[in-house]
């Protein structure tokens, strides 16, 4: 369960340079929403996501997660998990250990780890690949492992930064449907960043269009793109 409030968020990377990467970003996200942040390269999407994850400092404004002010909470204590474009898998570990890693470092007990890893593997169709190393996986399979690693943590909030942009068109199409299905099943509040309008249309409960660090429009796929 997670509800977000982003209040007048601003990001300036370099105080000596005029202009913000993000300007006066305001958004209220309700529990269970799948928000897609869309816009051209350089418009501030990734910066916004990294501020929510705690990987980048908020220059000005307030970020509340379930009514708790998060600005100064370290990334690991936010209850957030994030999936990156380049998968960020550990090459020397098996699929099983990659998925289990975030739980192991939190000292979750072995039986519980095993239950959660197998459940995630089942949801993502990775049951037969658990003993493989990432080098023996296709791009789509690697991205599924990255998703598995994020979902076993049972985080409150799921952040995805262009997770499909390294995949070919056919796999992108397939993974889009899988991520949408995953969201229908888990209902984890999600924020998904992309420059691809098709991804926004087909996956979002609400779309936020950004340009030059500023929100241009917020709406459903229907109101923004007239998508049914
Ligand atoms: P997007 O994700 O939409 O492509 P970014 O959030 O990566 O956009 O970038 C927004 C703006 O901030 C761009 O002008 C970019 O050059 C700038 N920027 C991004 N990261 C940094 C950084 N680490 N230092 C300075 N400027 C940055
Ligand atoms: P953890 O984030 O606790 O290390 P994971 O195994 O899920 O657990 O993450 C693997 C890598 O992905 C981490 O080394 C970290 O760099 C990055 N990562 C994942 N989620 C986050 C997050 N919310 N904040 C910062 N980094 C993250």
């Amino acid at each position: 369960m997670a509800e977000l409030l982003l209040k007048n968020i601003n990001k300036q990377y370099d105080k000596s340079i005029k202009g913000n990467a993000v300007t006066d970003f305001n958004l209220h996200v309700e529990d269970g929403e799948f928000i897609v942040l869309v816009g051209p390269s350089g418009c501030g999407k990734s910066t916004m996501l990294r501020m929510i994850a705690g990987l980048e400092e908020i220059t000005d404004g307030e970020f509340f997660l379930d009514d708790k002010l998060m600005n100064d909470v370290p990334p690991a204590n936010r209850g957030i998990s994030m999936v990156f474009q380049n998968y960020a898998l550990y090459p020397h570990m098996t699929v099983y250990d990659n998925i289990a890693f975030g739980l192991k470092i939190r000292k979750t007990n072995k039986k519980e780890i095993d239950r959660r890893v197998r459940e995630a593997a089942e949801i993502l169709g990775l049951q037969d690949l658990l003993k493989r190393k990432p080098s023996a996986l296709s791009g789509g399979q690697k991205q599924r492992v990255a998703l598995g690693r994020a979902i076993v943590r049972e985080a409150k909030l799921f952040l995805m930064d262009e997770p499909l942009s390294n995949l070919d068109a056919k796999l992108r199409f397939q993974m889009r449907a899988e991520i949408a299905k995953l969201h229908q099943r888990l209902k984890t509040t999600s924020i998904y960043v992309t420059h691809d309008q098709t991804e926004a249309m087909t996956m979002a409960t609400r779309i936020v269009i950004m340009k030059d660090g500023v929100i241009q429009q917020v709406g459903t796929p229907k109101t923004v793109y007239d998508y049914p």
Side-chain angles (χ1 to χ4, degrees), residues 13 21 39-48 50 56 161-162 193:
Y13 279 104
S41 177
C43 73
K45 308 180 293 293
S46 207
T47 299
M48 201 52 232
R50 295 205 308 268
E56 203 64 73
D161 194 356
E162 306 246 6
V193 159

Side-chain angles (χ1 to χ4, degrees), residues 53-55 75-76 78 80-84 88 90 98-99 101-103 105-106 149-150 153 159:
L55 304 174
R78 292 189 179 201
I80 292 174
S81 71
M82 184 154 170
V83 173
F84 301 92
Y90 301 104
N98 263 285
I99 295 176
F101 182 76
L103 298 175
I105 59 169
R106 281 175 183 76
R149 194 169 58 183
R153 291 178 42 191
L159 304 178

Side-chain angles (χ1 to χ4, degrees), residues 88-99 101 104 130-136 149:
L89 302 180
Y90 301 104
H92 58 288
M93 289 185 197
T94 63
V95 167
Y96 186 101
D97 289 333
N98 263 285
I99 295 176
F101 182 76
K104 281 190 183 157
L130 290 171
K131 290 191 174 133
R132 288 205 197 170
K133 298 271 175 69
S135 57
R149 194 169 58 183

